[in-house]
Amino acid sequence: MFSLNKGEGPRLLITGGNHGNELEGPLVARRIIEWLPKAQTCGNVIVLPVLNPLALQAWSRNTPLDGLNLNRVFPGRADGSVTERIADAVSRVLLPMADTIFDLHSFGPTWKCPPAATTHPIADPDLMANTVRMAEAFKLPLTLLWQHNDTAGMFDIVVQDQGKIFVCAEFGGGSVGADNLAIYEAGVRNALIALGLLGGKAEYPTFREQKSGQTLETDPSDEVKSPATGIFEPRCSVLDEVKQGDVIGVLHPLESLTAESVAIRAPSTSIVIGIASAAHVEINKAVAVVARPVKK
Amino acid sequence: MFSLNKGEGPRLLITGGNHGNELEGPLVARRIIEWLPKAQTCGNVIVLPVLNPLALQAWSRNTPLDGLNLNRVFPGRADGSVTERIADAVSRVLLPMADTIFDLHSFGPTWKCPPAATTHPIADPDLMANTVRMAEAFKLPLTLLWQHNDTAGMFDIVVQDQGKIFVCAEFGGGSVGADNLAIYEAGVRNALIALGLLGGKAEYPTFREQKSGQTLETDPSDEVKSPATGIFEPRCSVLDEVKQGDVIGVLHPLESLTAESVAIRAPSTSIVIGIASAAHVEINKAVAVVARPVKK
């Protein structure tokens, strides 16, 4: 763990390795530790590159010892299993030392998604507005308001219950190469500048030949599911705009080699924010996620 | 299997799914079948999108039933196990029907490598020159002469022993998304044009903002190995030129959380043609492959 106190100012906690098979966050966190001591001008920054070292060592989403997903057991239990104890230590020891939390995730090798700063919808409108503003300060290609139905026990919830700001960074596209790791790192640096912890000018990094960002929202109805088990062939790319009914991919069934391939169509006029790449998929599992501009 | 005979002309066999966990080849093969009937002007083309359906259904490199790698059992055996029988059928039934073979592979989700048409070195200088010319006709960013020491039983060998031309296409970068599938498909189309099976003009597709190709060679000494088990952080991208000693990546050891990270350096002034992306790697396993211009 890295901690640097330069007196009065914002108090930030950066965490990676919440899920042990998402290696980009730990790498970006370590890179920040390399340059932060020279760059930080005030405040207190704590960086914990690997929240769940047991899962990371096993290259596994969940902790092998107890099979638990760290991001579903918050706030944890001091007398619980190892995963619950990690959550408890984070909640009781680290959280009181910070007012803003960045948790660095990634999307895994068989999905493409753009670099994104995400939040779930929050009941408190002021906290929601401040959280979206913080997420947009990453200046990543996508700021995403992500409504899903499986948030009990997430790190977000315990942070937001204390009225603090939580931003989750995501990125997918194989495992992430050097060029895209640099985009991810630039997003975190932009957010540090916005918080006033660093000097310098925040700038949109170049992604798919553009330097820009947009704020979108998605809910469970925006998940496009596979009609059969088979191989998914993507026919569009992330950030593509699609019209309702456009073919976004083709599912080639595997049960029978003579089964007809099935076109998979966009459920609405929307923007593709995640798409499975040439990959095996199970019936009823998501092959794409679309999103729409936030309704004001 | 698709077969289209338009009379006199070149006889081509296109195969995918030699390895069941390389899904890009089967997808590109199926796409070619969609447009070839209208486009083909002469000759005979056979397309077999999935050489090893059992391995493909299991999303496995080798055949689950007998554990064999199809691409190491050629020419196969008619009375052998299932994998050996597939190789035998290909060798005895399909090969006599073609003079040129394109076998479509890919590199898997934790490597980045550019779209490439590859061949191993061939003893016969005329066949070697014709094979390299055919590989270059794909007009992919990379034509690669790939010397490695584990070629016994490969599909290539049985084809080349008959004096026929064999080109292996490779591509890596996560699973391959829609934009890169299109590059792969364009490469095969270019080769069909060069063979005279199609009209149209062959063009370099755009990859990493360039429309160009280069022919390089690599041998086992060009493999960069990991000094420890850990997480590999790439610090360069495919097709980057590196000087001897340049840092191409960093290995973060996993045995101990306090172990120092290790810089991994380019073994020679060369061009990076393959690099692991943010991924777990084992000690002594390759994390990068470099190559050099072909010596005349």
Side-chain angles (χ1 to χ4, degrees):
Chain A
M1 193 176 85
F2 165 95
S3 175
L4 186 59
N5 192 340
K6 292 211 174 169
E8 287 295 302
R11 303 187 312 152
L12 173 67
L13 168 64
I14 300 175
T15 51
N18 185 331
H19 292 131
N21 59 348
E22 300 176 3
L23 306 181
E24 291 79 2
L27 294 178
V28 167
R30 291 181 84 135
R31 285 159 71 144
I32 291 164
I33 292 171
E34 287 179 18
W35 51 257
L36 194 60
K38 279 196 183 163
Q40 186 183 330
T41 55
C42 68
N44 191 29
V45 180
I46 300 170
V47 185
L48 188 61
V50 184
L51 272 179
N52 192 343
L54 295 167
L56 188 86
Q57 278 166 344
W59 206 355
S60 158
R61 182 172 177 85
N62 295 358
T63 316
L65 273 174
D66 57 15
L68 292 177
N69 177 345
L70 173 59
N71 209 25
R72 293 296 182 281
V73 301
F74 276 89
R77 292 194 298 140
D79 61 348
S81 71
V82 58
T83 310
E84 294 169 312
R85 286 176 197 221
I86 294 172
D88 174 68
V90 171
S91 304
R92 281 192 304 114
V93 180
L94 290 180
L95 266 193
M97 301 165 74
D99 304 307
T100 303
I101 288 85
F102 300 158
D103 195 29
L104 311 181
H105 287 251
S106 51
F107 236 73
T110 61
W111 276 82
K112 308 278 180 206
C113 70
T118 74
T119 178
H120 301 127
I122 304 165
D124 174 342
D126 289 342
L127 184 59
M128 181 71 190
N130 290 334
T131 299
V132 171
R133 201 173 304 124
M134 187 75 255
E136 288 176 334
F138 281 67
K139 290 187 175 291
L140 287 173
L142 177 62
T143 302
L144 186 64
L145 279 52
W146 192 344
Q147 188 197 324
H148 72 69
N149 301 328
D150 177 29
T151 57
M154 289 186 80
F155 191 7
D156 317 32
I157 309 301
V158 59
V159 173
Q160 290 158 355
D161 281 351
Q162 296 178 17
K164 296 178 177 180
I165 288 177
F166 183 99
V167 175
C168 169
E170 289 278 4
F171 198 3
S175 294
V176 170
D179 39 0
N180 288 335
L181 276 180
I183 295 176
Y184 199 142
E185 183 181 357
V188 179
R189 183 194 294 262
N190 284 339
L192 291 170
I193 292 170
L195 276 170
L197 290 160
L198 305 180
K201 189 170 172 307
E203 279 186 288
Y204 285 102
T206 302
F207 178 75
R208 296 185 70 85
E209 296 167 43
Q210 299 219 326
K211 281 178 175 288
S212 62
Q214 55 191 324
T215 302
L216 303 176
E217 65 183 357
T218 187
D219 67 39
S221 73
D222 293 313
E223 265 196 15
V224 183
K225 302 227 163 75
S226 180
T229 294
I231 297 178
F232 178 70
E233 175 188 347
R235 293 237 170 149
C236 64
S237 300
V238 292
L239 302 184
D240 281 359
E241 294 179 31
V242 291
K243 292 202 175 59
Q244 186 174 14
D246 282 356
V247 174
I248 57 174
V250 177
L251 194 282
H252 304 287
L254 270 176
E255 291 83 3
S256 151
L257 290 170
T258 56
E260 288 281 315
S261 298
V262 185
I264 299 178
R265 294 173 187 281
S268 59
T269 294
S270 53
I271 295 163
V272 176
I273 59 159
I275 188 152
S277 40
H280 263 243
V281 295
E282 304 278 319
I283 186 167
N284 285 329
K285 294 288 181 187
V287 290
V289 180
V290 300
R292 289 150 285 96
V294 177
K295 289 183 211 86
K296 297 294 176 187
Chain B
M1 192 175 85
F2 165 95
S3 175
L4 187 60
N5 192 339
K6 293 213 174 169
E8 288 295 302
R11 303 187 311 152
L12 174 67
L13 169 63
I14 300 175
T15 51
N18 185 331
H19 292 131
N21 59 346
E22 299 176 3
L23 306 182
E24 292 79 2
L27 294 179
V28 168
R30 290 182 85 135
R31 286 160 70 145
I32 290 165
I33 292 171
E34 287 180 18
W35 52 256
L36 194 61
K38 279 197 182 162
Q40 186 182 331
T41 55
C42 68
N44 191 28
V45 180
I46 299 170
V47 185
L48 188 60
V50 183
L51 273 179
N52 192 343
L54 295 166
L56 187 87
Q57 277 165 347
W59 207 355
S60 157
R61 181 172 178 85
N62 294 358
T63 316
L65 272 175
D66 58 15
L68 292 178
N69 177 345
L70 173 59
N71 209 23
R72 294 296 183 281
V73 301
F74 276 89
R77 291 194 300 141
D79 62 347
S81 71
V82 58
T83 310
E84 293 169 311
R85 286 176 196 221
I86 294 171
D88 175 67
V90 171
S91 304
R92 281 193 304 114
V93 179
L94 290 181
L95 265 194
M97 301 167 73
D99 303 306
T100 303
I101 287 84
F102 300 158
D103 195 29
L104 311 181
H105 287 251
S106 51
F107 237 73
T110 60
W111 276 81
K112 308 279 182 205
C113 69
T118 74
T119 178
H120 301 127
I122 304 165
D124 175 342
D126 288 342
L127 185 59
M128 181 71 189
N130 290 336
T131 299
V132 172
R133 201 173 303 123
M134 187 76 255
E136 287 175 336
F138 281 67
K139 291 188 176 289
L140 287 174
L142 177 62
T143 301
L144 186 64
L145 278 53
W146 193 344
Q147 187 197 324
H148 72 69
N149 300 328
D150 177 28
T151 57
M154 289 185 80
F155 192 8
D156 316 33
I157 309 300
V158 59
V159 173
Q160 290 158 355
D161 281 351
Q162 297 178 18
K164 295 178 176 179
I165 289 176
F166 182 99
V167 175
C168 169
E170 290 278 5
F171 197 2
S175 293
V176 169
D179 39 359
N180 288 335
L181 276 179
I183 296 177
Y184 199 142
E185 183 182 358
V188 179
R189 183 193 292 263
N190 284 339
L192 291 170
I193 292 170
L195 276 170
L197 289 160
L198 305 181
K201 190 169 173 304
E203 279 185 287
Y204 285 101
T206 302
F207 178 75
R208 295 185 72 83
E209 293 166 43
Q210 299 218 327
K211 280 179 177 287
S212 62
Q214 55 191 324
T215 301
L216 304 176
E217 64 183 358
T218 186
D219 67 39
S221 73
D222 293 314
E223 264 195 17
V224 183
K225 303 228 163 76
S226 180
T229 293
I231 297 178
F232 178 70
E233 175 189 348
R235 294 239 170 148
C236 63
S237 300
V238 292
L239 302 184
D240 281 359
E241 294 179 31
V242 291
K243 292 200 175 61
Q244 186 174 17
D246 282 355
V247 174
I248 58 175
V250 177
L251 194 283
H252 304 286
L254 271 175
E255 291 83 2
S256 152
L257 290 170
T258 56
E260 287 281 316
S261 298
V262 185
I264 298 179
R265 294 174 188 279
S268 59
T269 294
S270 52
I271 294 164
V272 177
I273 59 159
I275 188 152
S277 40
H280 264 242
V281 294
E282 303 278 319
I283 187 168
N284 285 329
K285 294 288 181 187
V287 291
V289 179
V290 300
R292 288 150 287 95
V294 177
K295 288 182 213 85
K296 297 295 177 186

